[in-house]
Amino acid sequence: MGKKKLLVMTITTVLTMTSILTGCKGSNTTPTNSSTNNTPQVINVSTTQDPATLDTSKLADSASNTVAQETQEGLVRLENKKLVAAGAEKWETSTDGLTWTFHLRDYSWTDGKKITAQDYVYAVKRLFEPSIACPNAGIFYVVKGGEAYNTNKGKAEDIGVKAVDEKTLQFTLNTPTPYFLQLMNFVNVLPLRQDIVEKAGESYGTDPKALVYSGPFVVDQWVKGSKVILKKNDKYWDAKSVKLETANINLIPEEATRQQMFDGKSLDLIQNVKQEYSTKLKDKIDKGEVTSIIGYYPSVGYIAFNNNDPNKIFTNAKVRLAFSLALDREGYVKNVTKKDQAAYGLVPYGLNNGDKIFREAASEPLKEVKGQDPKELLKQGLQELGLDQSKQIEITFLQRNANADTRVVGEFYQSQWEKNLGVKVKIDTASDGATFNKMIMKGTYQVAQTGWGADYNDPMTFMGLFITGDGNNSAFFSDSQYDELVKKASVESDMTKRLDMFKQAEKILIADKAAIAPLTFNVASNYMQSYVKGLDIEAGGPSYELKRVYIEKK
């Protein structure tokens, strides 16, 4: 991995905090051989939404990602901000950087069957299978033949991945890719058992009892709408490092409820809290009852405009820019979310371009156009669309769910746009997070708030989202110049030239075409009960890494 720079540090235990990648992450890591004093090894954590699926070829949401990465073991794993050998014991690259060879360790699935290179070959080819529609397939187009097969222009057998033998896996790339090893930590390339997948058919990933596992934990129960219970996998190759016996992942959408449970110690970890709650916890921190990990987490919240809006309104760049500039971001983070940092660009802090932090080397493009009048932009845009301006424009904002916090946010946007643009804003509400995500990716919305967290330590994890046709292109944005710049930057080895390409592309996306409206860069506030030891929060990994966690005597 590239060099990382310390951004923010307010750690109350002896630990280091570095922003690296799915965001800002740190750990309160302690030696795994410390005594647990016969204390029950059970941790209670939370999620704000149900996992969408446990099918690693299809999932893209953070809740699913967390469960998958805690229960499966890929080639590499993030530990203490570093990629370490996991399913692979070692690997090497060819001198031209086009061939990567991984040598697997001797490890098994929970049913006792050995994990082989073919399990990885199957997983990689399946993520490119057009009928699977993996939303992250575009991220892996660096693999030879992957894009052709994924776009119905090639064959599966031509994909650049093969099993040299049972324990040797080989990738062939289109071009040298500096961040390729980081991609191997990605959830979509976790090993898959073909016989298990084919036996389950379309239902694969919905029933945890029908799955086999290769990671530190197994899914013991999945009570949809309530919780996921993980149990230690005694057959895991590194089981000696796993101290927890049980991890209860409780579905708790409301922050107020999470705060109450954390105060009552029925929740051992609370994340992304509002500033006033952080202030409230200061006394407990001073007393040593609570520890914290706080800093930039490379993720961005943004408004997605449907650039293919069937009502035409958001097909115009000036209209989109008007709606973007009409939002008071500073007031939003101060008075509404009461956390995070106002964002005027896509790429957040905490990501490297070579040995430099990208956001420190590139100004946020929306700041350069802040002086424009939103009402005048809207007027010009509507004229270009040929719409009758004598009638009040009405738009529909889609919000994720009906939770109290979500409603407050939606009402802020409604108020801002009605006040600053003179439009009418109707709020539509999805029944749940999974439905919201489906509506976004199918384009059955007009305007919505969504976001993205880094999957690896490089600006490409954000810039690649808005390439034409990408499975995660929530705005359905398409621009040939943007595509060309990002694709060239993805393979450019000169970091100065690469930085300039990314800067030009970000300006097109955010200011010139205003495909989306960036809102916030995440400043993660993670608090643990002081008896929780060894917790890691790794950007590019699960929301919380539990492999080396243990509970000290309470």
Side-chain angles (χ1 to χ4, degrees):
M1 298 178 70
K3 296 179 182 178
K4 304 171 188 76
K5 183 173 181 180
L6 183 66
L7 297 178
V8 176
M9 183 162 119
T10 55
I11 313 303
T12 58
T13 54
V14 181
L15 37 105
T16 58
M17 177 67 218
T18 312
S19 290
I20 54 175
L21 310 161
T22 303
C24 152
K25 301 222 170 173
S27 74
N28 65 335
T29 304
T30 48
T32 58
N33 60 355
S34 297
S35 171
T36 57
N37 299 298
N38 297 315
T39 301
Q41 294 302 299
V42 179
I43 191 170
N44 294 291
V45 293
S46 65
T47 181
T48 58
Q49 66 181 60
D50 255 325
T53 179
L54 299 183
D55 183 343
T56 54
S57 299
K58 296 180 178 180
L59 65 83
D61 63 289
S62 61
S64 302
N65 181 76
T66 293
V67 175
Q69 291 199 322
E70 292 295 337
T71 58
Q72 304 293 357
E73 186 82 320
L75 296 169
V76 294
R77 197 173 191 90
L78 270 170
E79 291 187 6
N80 295 325
K81 319 298 169 290
K82 296 179 181 179
L83 286 172
V84 299
E89 289 185 310
K90 59 182 179 178
W91 51 87
E92 64 264 359
T93 62
S94 60
T95 54
D96 61 7
L98 296 179
T99 304
W100 286 70
T101 305
F102 295 85
H103 303 277
L104 305 189
R105 70 175 66 252
D106 184 16
Y107 74 124
S108 304
W109 298 100
T110 43
D111 65 356
K113 189 172 181 178
K114 296 291 185 181
I115 294 172
T116 69
Q118 187 56 41
D119 294 327
Y120 284 96
V121 171
Y122 177 66
V124 173
K125 289 189 175 182
R126 188 169 184 260
L127 79 86
F128 288 125
E129 169 63 50
S131 65
I132 294 297
C134 174
N136 298 319
I139 293 172
F140 298 96
Y141 281 177
V142 296
V143 176
K144 186 177 180 180
E147 181 176 10
Y149 181 53
N150 189 236
T151 55
N152 293 297
K153 297 175 183 177
K155 300 177 181 179
E157 53 263 37
D158 294 331
I159 296 174
V161 61
K162 68 178 181 179
V164 177
D165 55 43
E166 284 199 346
K167 293 298 180 184
T168 309
L169 175 71
Q170 191 171 88
F171 287 89
T172 302
L173 309 185
N174 292 311
T175 185
T177 305
Y179 53 89
F180 182 72
L181 187 61
Q182 295 185 44
L183 296 184
M184 294 300 95
N185 183 55
F186 211 90
V187 68
N188 302 125
V189 290
L190 291 169
L192 276 176
R193 275 270 295 282
Q194 185 172 357
D195 60 327
I196 300 292
V197 174
E198 292 180 348
K199 180 179 179 180
E202 289 297 317
S203 67
Y204 181 74
T206 61
D207 179 7
K209 299 297 184 184
L211 276 62
V212 287
Y213 303 96
S214 59
F217 301 92
V218 302
V219 179
D220 182 63
Q221 293 183 50
W222 180 8
V223 184
K224 295 183 179 180
S226 177
K227 60 187 175 182
V228 176
I229 300 177
L230 305 183
K231 294 287 187 180
K232 179 178 177 178
N233 178 9
D234 291 326
K235 296 180 179 179
Y236 178 51
W237 72 270
D238 194 25
K240 67 181 185 300
S241 298
V242 182
K243 306 302 179 184
L244 285 178
E245 292 294 334
T246 303
N248 298 310
I249 304 176
N250 302 287
L251 176 60
I252 313 172
E254 302 283 0
E255 181 174 336
T257 304
R258 296 195 297 275
Q259 291 177 9
Q260 292 173 2
M261 293 179 69
F262 187 77
D263 288 341
K265 295 189 177 181
S266 57
L267 197 60
D268 298 319
L269 167 69
I270 188 168
Q271 298 179 287
N272 300 321
V273 301
K274 294 180 179 178
Q275 182 57 49
E276 60 259 39
Y277 188 63
S278 294
T279 302
K280 178 182 176 181
L281 289 175
K282 187 178 185 304
D283 184 55
K284 289 186 177 182
I285 291 173
D286 292 341
K287 292 178 180 178
E289 298 173 4
V290 171
T291 59
S292 66
I293 303 172
I294 302 174
Y296 282 116
Y297 179 98
S299 69
V300 61
Y302 62 87
I303 292 291
F305 303 116
N306 188 341
N307 287 215
N308 291 336
D309 181 8
N311 294 326
K312 290 181 62 175
I313 296 172
F314 291 104
T315 62
N316 183 273
K318 288 180 180 177
V319 170
R320 297 191 297 262
L321 184 58
F323 274 78
S324 179
L325 294 179
L327 294 172
D328 176 9
R329 290 162 175 79
E330 305 298 335
Y332 178 65
V333 298
K334 181 179 179 180
N335 303 313
V336 181
T337 64
K338 300 180 181 179
K339 58 183 178 182
D340 297 330
Q341 175 177 314
Y344 298 88
L346 171 67
V347 181
Y349 287 89
L351 292 176
N352 292 71
N353 178 66
D355 62 357
K356 295 182 179 179
I357 299 295
F358 174 83
R359 195 72 280 162
E360 294 179 359
S363 61
E364 297 172 61
L366 199 62
K367 289 182 176 180
E368 299 173 12
V369 294
K370 280 181 66 177
Q372 297 188 52
D373 180 2
K375 280 190 175 180
E376 180 60 29
L377 282 169
L378 179 61
K379 178 182 177 181
Q380 294 174 11
L382 294 177
Q383 287 177 339
E384 291 176 4
L385 289 169
L387 295 177
D388 184 358
Q389 295 185 56
S390 65
K391 297 180 180 179
Q392 186 180 39
I393 297 298
E394 180 174 322
I395 63 105
T396 300
F397 174 78
L398 174 66
Q399 63 183 18
R400 181 176 295 273
N401 52 48
N403 295 337
D405 293 340
T406 307
R407 290 199 303 272
V408 169
V409 168
E411 288 167 0
F412 171 81
Y413 302 139
Q414 182 183 48
S415 173
Q416 288 275 291
W417 289 328
E418 290 187 346
K419 174 185 175 182
N420 297 329
L421 294 176
V423 300
K424 177 69 176 176
V425 180
K426 174 187 174 184
I427 296 180
D428 191 15
T429 305
S431 57
D432 54 35
T435 302
F436 173 86
N437 289 337
K438 288 178 182 177
M439 292 177 71
I440 293 294
M441 300 322 297
K442 288 183 178 179
T444 54
Y445 80 99
Q446 197 171 21
V447 193
Q449 180 192 350
T450 184
W452 189 259
D455 295 306
Y456 50 92
N457 187 9
D458 192 273
M460 268 300 294
T461 190
F462 288 90
M463 301 301 291
L465 297 175
F466 297 100
I467 290 175
T468 300
D470 186 88
N472 292 301
N473 187 341
S474 54
F476 299 90
F477 175 64
S478 179
D479 183 84
S480 59
Q481 186 180 2
Y482 178 89
D483 293 351
E484 182 180 5
L485 284 165
V486 174
K487 288 178 179 179
K488 284 184 176 180
S490 70
V491 297
E492 177 58 62
S493 59
D494 184 318
M495 291 299 112
T496 301
K497 291 180 180 179
R498 191 172 192 258
L499 175 67
D500 186 59
M501 292 174 188
F502 277 141
K503 287 168 64 176
Q504 291 181 59
E506 190 180 34
K507 180 176 180 293
I508 291 170
L509 179 74
I510 300 300
D512 297 346
K513 298 299 176 70
I516 63 169
L519 294 168
T520 57
F521 292 145
N522 182 219
V523 180
S525 302
N526 304 281
Y527 296 92
M528 296 78 64
Q529 307 292 357
S530 60
Y531 50 75
V532 175
K533 304 297 181 181
L535 183 77
D536 251 352
I537 299 178
E538 302 280 7
S543 297
Y544 26 74
E545 175 56 82
L546 303 175
K547 176 180 174 179
R548 298 185 183 276
V549 170
Y550 67 92
I551 306 300
E552 197 173 60
K553 186 176 181 180
K554 299 182 181 180

